[in-house]
Amino acid sequence: MWQVILIFRKIAGNKFFKIGVSVLLTYFVFAYFFKIVDFEVLKQQVGKINWWWMLASAGAYLVTYLFRAWRIYLIVRREQPVRYGTIYRVSLIHQFYNRILPFKTGELSLVYLLKKNCNLGAGNGSLVLLFIRIFDFLVMFMMFLLCSFMIGIDLIDRKYIYGILAVFVLFLCLLPYLLKFLPKIVKHPKAAELSAFYKRSVTPQVLVKTFVSTLLMWLFLYLSMHLVIAAFSISIPFYVTVCATFLASVGGMLPINGIGGFGAVETGWVLGFTLLGLDKPAAVASSIVSNLESFVIIVLFGAGALLIERIQKNDDI
């Protein structure tokens, strides 16, 4: 049994296997897309777009980068002397890798980038990544819960939502104590290092500021999505957009996307909006436009940040 597991792990960890699976997944996503989409209807829907609303949507999406970088900066600056501009560039490059690489493998690029640009150890960088993702899930579920109350419908049994929120909050509250006793449980120098890093960097003030910056990030992210809906001349309340795009947000975080991050987000978007009464052609068209918009922004700004980093490196030489 263990031999089978080890063989599977070796195969799954192979670079060519990952590329092959991601290409296959992307193929099936697009094959399914071409099967269900009426391109004549899609063309008509896209022809209705108000590009001023799309420009406003792109602006709102760009604002999210400010808060993505700020929450990382709040933690890292207490450990290493670093400028916000450096963390902002790291955030741009991290989003770039996280988007273009399949199965969310680009997430780990943050650990590498923090080590390279801020001299932050891999263990501490991993803790930063874990920390901000916990806040992402916590804020996302809290906003969904609030908006579902405002709509007055129960898409998911609320006891499960309460349970998930309780687990996240409890884990966040217990994390300092777990890390405090980590060196006693795990007899390894890295355990003591992680515990000391958390104690130095994650103070109550940092917790509050990280929560606020994460909340603002998600508000502008949902605003960007809402403005895409407005660009299709669809008038719905903001809280309906938040609730409808919840599945798209979850899909974007799960390691089930193909190359470029396409697939799960559009599926969640269409499912969420159609469940709340939006016609399917408008839901499909808006999902594609929204995801393409974020893809273009992430690639352009991420590539620009990589270019700036390369120029600075050459200048240092």
Side-chain angles (χ1 to χ4, degrees), residues 121-270:
N124 295 343
S126 300
L127 196 60
V128 172
L129 178 61
L130 173 64
F131 188 65
I132 62 174
R133 286 297 171 249
I134 290 173
F135 269 95
D136 278 332
F137 277 106
L138 179 62
V139 169
M140 188 175 65
F141 276 109
M142 286 178 62
M143 291 184 69
F144 172 72
L145 182 62
L146 177 62
C147 292
S148 67
F149 286 162
M150 295 175 72
I151 294 175
I153 59 174
D154 291 321
L155 293 177
I156 301 174
D157 195 324
R158 291 183 181 178
K159 66 182 180 182
Y160 295 118
I161 299 176
Y162 291 140
I164 294 170
L165 282 173
V167 169
F168 274 115
V169 172
L170 183 63
F171 180 77
L172 197 61
C173 292
L174 291 177
L175 189 57
Y177 302 99
L178 293 173
L179 290 172
K180 181 180 179 180
F181 291 104
L182 185 63
K184 299 179 181 179
I185 301 172
V186 181
K187 302 299 182 180
H188 193 280
K190 287 291 182 182
E193 182 184 327
L194 289 176
S195 180
F197 170 74
Y198 188 92
K199 186 177 180 180
R200 289 191 304 268
S201 303
V202 188
T203 63
Q205 292 86 354
V206 169
L207 285 172
V208 173
K209 290 178 180 178
T210 303
F211 175 80
V212 172
S213 58
T214 303
L215 178 61
L216 289 170
M217 186 202 79
W218 278 98
L219 281 172
F220 275 96
L221 186 59
Y222 282 127
L223 176 61
S224 175
M225 298 176 185
H226 185 67
L227 291 171
V228 170
I229 293 296
F232 282 85
S233 301
I234 300 170
S235 180
I236 58 175
F238 177 71
Y239 57 82
V240 173
T241 299
V242 174
C243 199
T245 54
F246 170 74
L247 292 176
S249 301
V250 172
M253 288 186 170
L254 296 176
I256 53 176
N257 287 311
I259 297 172
F262 296 99
V265 174
E266 289 86 353
T267 303
W269 181 294
V270 172

